[in-house]
Amino acid sequence: MGKKILPFLITRLIDLMRRTGFLPSNRVETLPLNVTPRSILVVANTALGDVLLCTPAIQSLRRSFPDAQITVLMHHSYLPLFQSCDFIDTFVPYYGGYRHFLSTVRALRKTRPDIALILHGNGPQDIQLCALSGASYIFKHPNRSPLQHLLSATLPRKQHHTIETKLDLVRAIGGRQLITTMATAPLRDTDLSSKFSRYSGAVAFQLGAADRYKMWPVERFAELARRLLDADPTRQILLTGIAAERPLAEKLQTLCPDERIHNLCGETDIRELPYLLRQCALLVTNDTGTMHLAIALRVPTLALFAPTPAKRLGAYQDPHLHRSIQKDGAFIQKLPKKERDDRAMRLIGVDEVFREAQAMLATDSTRNNLSTAVSNA
């Protein structure tokens, strides 16, 4: 009951403060908004992949409103990836749930936002924080939140790539200079570049995912590893992931014992991961944040989709670098989440993944040979 009382009380407080004029409340019926913002608050405080998918919209805000201060509310874990981005002025760290809620509100109020855009947020805290920030206008993509009455408009629901969904919010406030490519902070640490240089040209596997039903079976990753190593004696395979995914990598190594397979799960932090990925010739991956990071870094990806649609969540940039294998596994989404397993992902066979991976590696080799020839000319 306690978990429900706090959100209820905060919402009642916001409603009271709006009725008495202590907080602004503006509802608009016509979009785009005809306002020149001086300060924009952006909420992108969920998982890594979600944050990366928000970066085109944030860059679009910077181009569309070059004089506005842009503040981003972001989970503190991911700040090292973005703190040097020139399209963001200020960061406010988010700690999850209602942790440090009052200090977060104080930090947001100091930025005096005219407009708050919830590009991807954890509810109900996202809308509550925007309201308490003092923003005159609050926008969020179509949702089922019980706090929709605190938003400034109801946007139409559209079926297109999630990057376009986020750009719809930029369009709603009058932004016209739109960018569709993801970005991180520039990679300028030469020590980290050198640290991972021994893995140059490797193929990386991202074995895990946020949900089990989005994970290609480790047995199939192991068979793919065996075929790739048989096809190229010089090939190295890197197993990436967090420490909790290390048992998955160990299982793969048991199924396919080879000294050219390196288990790096839990051995790179969020600041190091981009430098590791940048050494790779290819990332074979489930639908994960690591996939989106590789796409942002322009590292070739072969992404495996079944329960979720690649057309909405896959690569939206550099089509010559990225491929997806899509199966119709939407049936798994109809089950209660606790009952969802990897049946949908099992629709993806090793043969087709190996075939696509080999084609992409051949293309990468050709691209590198041409680059070398040009540089030597």
Side-chain angles (χ1 to χ4, degrees):
M1 181 63 71
K3 291 183 178 180
K4 295 182 180 180
I5 289 178
L6 182 58
F8 171 77
L9 292 177
I10 292 174
T11 301
R12 291 295 299 271
L13 175 63
I14 293 169
D15 290 337
L16 176 62
M17 294 178 74
R18 283 190 164 190
R19 285 198 301 271
T20 54
F22 284 97
L23 286 176
S25 175
N26 291 299
R27 184 78 184 176
V28 294
E29 301 300 330
T30 302
L31 295 173
L33 194 65
N34 187 23
V35 172
T36 301
R38 293 169 298 176
S39 178
I40 302 172
L41 168 61
V42 173
V43 176
N45 65 343
T46 50
L48 174 59
D50 301 325
V51 176
L52 286 160
L53 288 165
C54 292
T55 57
I58 302 172
Q59 293 176 88
S60 299
L61 289 171
R62 169 55 66 218
R63 286 206 179 180
S64 298
F65 308 104
D67 297 325
Q69 173 176 295
I70 297 177
T71 300
V72 177
L73 178 68
M74 182 183 297
H75 197 281
H76 67 95
S77 299
Y78 307 128
L79 291 179
L81 273 182
F82 301 97
Q83 281 179 318
S84 299
C85 290
D86 59 7
F87 51 89
I88 300 173
D89 296 305
T90 308
F91 290 87
V92 174
Y94 177 70
Y95 295 93
Y98 287 97
R99 287 188 289 275
H100 305 294
F101 189 80
L102 290 179
S103 61
T104 302
V105 170
R106 286 194 293 268
L108 294 177
R109 289 186 66 82
K110 286 180 181 178
T111 69
R112 299 181 178 275
D114 305 300
I115 298 173
L117 298 186
I118 303 173
L119 297 183
H120 208 289
N122 283 319
Q125 298 90 349
D126 55 356
I127 297 177
Q128 292 173 336
L129 286 167
C130 288
L132 291 169
S133 75
S136 297
Y137 301 93
I138 304 172
F139 296 93
K140 185 175 182 178
H141 56 77
N143 63 90
R144 299 175 182 174
S145 170
L147 305 186
Q148 290 189 61
H149 68 285
L150 298 179
L151 301 177
S152 297
T154 300
L155 275 66
R157 185 178 298 275
K158 299 179 181 178
Q159 294 298 321
H160 51 196
H161 196 281
T162 188
I163 285 176
E164 291 292 345
T165 299
K166 299 176 194 312
L167 287 173
D168 283 341
L169 294 177
V170 180
R171 296 182 183 102
I173 66 168
R176 296 180 179 178
Q177 302 295 320
L178 304 182
I179 294 175
T180 58
T181 55
M182 297 187 292
T184 66
L187 303 186
R188 295 173 177 153
D189 192 320
T190 55
D191 290 337
L192 284 179
S193 294
S194 299
K195 177 179 178 179
F196 299 113
S197 61
R198 65 185 182 275
Y199 298 128
S200 178
V203 173
F205 288 177
Q206 176 61 38
L207 304 177
D211 301 293
R212 181 191 171 199
Y213 66 92
K214 298 178 183 178
M215 292 166 53
W216 200 43
V218 67
E219 296 85 357
R220 298 193 179 182
F221 268 114
E223 175 60 19
L224 176 64
R226 185 189 65 76
R227 295 192 192 185
L228 290 173
L229 294 173
D230 286 347
D232 184 352
T234 67
R235 182 69 63 197
Q236 295 185 88
I237 291 180
L238 313 181
L239 309 180
T240 63
I242 59 176
E245 293 166 340
R246 194 168 184 85
L248 279 174
E250 291 171 348
K251 183 176 180 180
L252 185 147
Q253 288 180 302
T254 299
L255 294 168
C256 181
D258 193 298
E259 62 183 9
R260 292 172 289 168
I261 299 178
H262 308 278
N263 183 355
L264 302 182
C265 291
E267 296 189 12
T268 56
D269 60 31
I270 195 67
R271 190 173 63 92
E272 295 174 319
L273 182 57
Y275 291 89
L276 174 63
L277 290 175
R278 198 167 61 169
Q279 297 295 331
C280 297
L282 177 66
L283 171 69
V284 184
T285 177
N286 300 308
D287 176 11
T288 64
T290 301
M291 176 193 75
H292 293 296
L293 179 56
I295 294 168
L297 295 169
R298 293 176 169 80
V299 173
T301 63
L302 176 54
L304 311 179
F305 285 87
T308 52
K311 286 186 177 181
R312 289 186 58 233
L313 299 169
Y316 198 55
Q317 65 189 69
D318 305 315
H320 62 290
L321 293 178
H322 309 291
R323 299 187 189 185
S324 297
I325 295 177
Q326 176 78 67
K327 299 296 181 183
D328 185 4
F331 65 88
I332 208 75
Q333 300 271 27
K334 298 177 182 179
L335 299 175
K337 200 161 187 178
K338 291 183 179 180
E339 297 179 18
R340 298 176 192 173
D341 54 21
D342 63 0
R343 276 176 290 167
M345 293 298 287
R346 286 184 177 275
L347 297 173
I348 302 172
V350 177
D351 288 344
E352 57 187 322
V353 179
F354 175 68
R355 189 164 53 248
E356 292 285 354
Q358 284 293 87
M360 294 182 74
L361 290 169
T363 300
D364 181 72
S365 177
T366 301
R367 188 183 301 116
N368 289 338
N369 290 339
L370 287 172
S371 176
T372 302
V374 170
S375 63
N376 291 336

